Amino acid sequence: MDSANTYDDPAPVRGCASRAPRALATEAVHAGRDDLARQGLHAPPIDLSTTYPSYDSRAEAARIDAFAVDGAEPAGPPVYGRLGNPTVARFETALARLEGTESAVAFASGMAALSAVLLARVSTGLRHVVAVRPLYGSSDHLLTAGLLGTEVTWTDPAGITDALRPDTGLVLVESPANPTLAELDLRAVAHACGTVPLLADNTFATPVLQRPAELGARLVLHSATKYLGGHGDVLGGVVACDEEFAGQLRKIRFATGGVLHPLAGYLLLRGLATLPVRVRAASATAAELARRLTADPRVARVHYPRLGGAMIAFEVYDDPHEVVSRVRLITPAVSLGSVDTLIQHPASISHRVVDEGDRRGAGVSDNLLRLSVGLEDADDLWADLDRSLGDI
């Protein structure tokens, strides 16, 4: 078995015995579900309760006090929906296993997850963030505007070490980056961070293609709305990390209320089961489309990561707005990672909130289009692109 696709079990479901490492495809299907057969269940149950009965208020108080100390998940039955939910916990267990971390903490959206990380650092007096562009536009805006009391220093990867200060609490990168698909050497970046935690946004790559924790990142961020859900019907975010940091995030989540709804947790757990199949199939189609776009005289430049994946960015000679307006099979919409192919103009939508000079400096040109390749046939998608690119 290929060791690169073999996964230890750092976060077993409570009560499960230790077992041998499992391959990615197996882990994606079974993680978070290991206890179901013993309960006489096949599909994971959805627990929609917001509160749970308890006749021992002294014990309940002790459990809440224990949570307040280190944010560890309370032992025993659930207490309250904002403190934790069994269905969401299954998704967290599964995602931690796929990313190879001790724990994972889920939130109502990817931005809620990032906000919790920033608040966790600010609360300890570490308000300075070092970040590398490009990032997702809303992440860029959150840092630049200082909305959570942070101060950001933007730098290139070579400048990370020099940008660190005594009050630096986080280094934030995204690779492949949104929307240019620029790639970073995460191992080198982690080394440059020293003792400062590195947060790597792994939304585009997913653990199918890359596991940042193995390369030195302490925190791995996902907009679970994208590939983890995979069907464009659920919002969510998650941070995979060590248990110590997870405890801090759970306390922030409890205080701010950015919880993931149980139904969303169920849909995300279900999405993980097909994640390897979806990512690999869409990636194969994307590679073929990138090849055809590269050879097309109507396309000025194609960005496709060495890592692979289902995302393509390309710059056109024609008016990009006209290209978007002409698609028929492809859906002109924001977001990515769905089973259907989406196209959008980053300078108008996902990165509109970023200052124009900063946006262009990060490689997000006005002629750049971003394509999230789905599961359709490659020839059908090319026929739509070919017609939409127009005449030269």
Side-chain angles (χ1 to χ4, degrees):
M1 183 179 293
D2 183 355
S3 61
N5 284 331
T6 301
Y7 293 74
D8 294 323
D9 182 11
V13 174
R14 294 187 190 95
C16 282
S18 304
R19 47 164 177 69
R22 303 191 295 204
L24 171 65
T26 304
E27 199 68 91
V29 172
H30 289 279
R33 302 168 176 84
D34 302 88
D35 62 326
L36 293 180
R38 292 191 302 278
Q39 298 185 49
L41 299 171
H42 182 235
I46 306 175
D47 187 333
L48 295 173
S49 296
T50 57
T51 191
Y52 300 86
S54 174
Y55 292 95
D56 189 344
S57 56
R58 293 184 182 87
E60 204 80 332
R63 294 169 69 204
I64 293 174
D65 287 346
F67 174 82
V69 172
D70 58 12
E73 294 182 285
V79 178
Y80 182 59
R82 188 155 47 86
L83 194 63
N85 173 270
T87 306
V88 172
R90 290 182 180 278
F91 165 65
E92 293 171 329
T93 294
L95 193 277
R97 291 200 192 148
L98 291 180
E99 283 290 3
T101 59
E102 290 181 328
S103 301
V105 184
F107 295 87
S109 69
M111 290 308 300
L114 176 58
S115 296
V117 172
L118 296 175
L119 288 172
R121 304 310 281 161
V122 169
S123 69
T124 62
L126 301 173
R127 60 185 298 267
H128 181 240
V129 177
V130 174
V132 177
R133 282 191 173 111
L135 294 175
Y136 170 54
S138 292
S139 300
D140 189 311
H141 176 66
L142 182 65
L143 293 175
T144 302
L147 297 176
L148 298 178
T150 57
E151 177 187 347
V152 63
T153 296
W154 295 100
T155 185
D156 58 36
I160 289 175
T161 300
D162 290 340
L164 299 178
R165 307 187 325 205
D167 65 337
T168 302
L170 189 71
V171 175
L172 175 58
V173 301
E174 184 175 351
S175 181
N178 187 353
T180 66
L181 303 175
E183 295 175 89
L184 300 176
D185 181 341
L186 290 180
R187 194 181 299 279
V189 169
H191 179 74
C193 293
T195 60
V196 177
L198 169 64
L199 185 154
D201 189 325
N202 203 33
T203 298
F204 276 23
T206 82
V208 177
L209 301 177
Q210 171 179 268
R211 300 213 299 175
E214 292 181 345
L215 304 174
R218 186 178 180 188
L219 307 163
V220 182
L221 174 70
H222 286 272
S223 172
T225 307
K226 312 306 194 293
Y227 288 104
L228 303 190
H231 292 75
D233 57 6
V234 58
L235 284 174
V238 64
V239 178
C241 56
D242 57 76
E243 176 56 26
E244 180 185 359
F245 208 102
Q248 299 174 43
L249 293 178
R250 292 188 196 105
K251 289 194 288 184
I252 295 292
R253 183 177 64 182
F254 178 69
T256 60
V259 296
L260 184 70
H261 191 275
L263 181 57
Y266 172 84
L267 291 172
L268 290 172
L269 180 64
R270 187 174 70 170
L272 290 184
T274 60
L275 179 66
V277 176
R278 288 186 286 104
V279 169
R280 288 168 179 156
S283 297
T285 302
E288 173 60 19
L289 293 179
R291 184 189 67 80
R292 297 187 191 187
L293 286 167
T294 300
D296 196 300
R298 297 167 294 181
V299 176
R301 187 179 180 189
V302 175
H303 307 260
Y304 187 67
R306 294 185 302 275
L307 188 68
M311 299 298 301
I312 306 171
F314 60 100
E315 298 171 49
V316 295
Y317 290 113
D318 194 6
D319 183 341
H321 301 284
E322 291 300 317
V323 175
V324 171
S325 73
R326 291 193 287 258
V327 297
R328 292 298 177 265
L329 176 65
I330 297 168
T331 303
V334 72
S335 199
L336 57 108
S338 185
V339 291
D340 60 321
T341 299
L342 309 178
I343 192 170
Q344 66 122 320
H345 182 239
S348 296
I349 306 178
S350 63
H351 288 70
R352 188 68 178 178
V353 71
V354 179
D355 175 80
E356 183 177 357
D358 293 335
R359 186 171 68 232
R360 290 179 175 174
V364 186
S365 73
D366 290 342
N367 276 15
L368 184 75
L369 293 170
R370 194 190 72 187
L371 190 71
S372 169
V373 179
L375 300 180
E376 303 95 336
D377 180 82
D379 288 337
D380 290 333
L381 289 172
W382 178 250
D384 198 32
L385 281 172
D386 184 34
R387 183 181 50 76
S388 300
L389 287 169
D391 299 324
I392 56 174

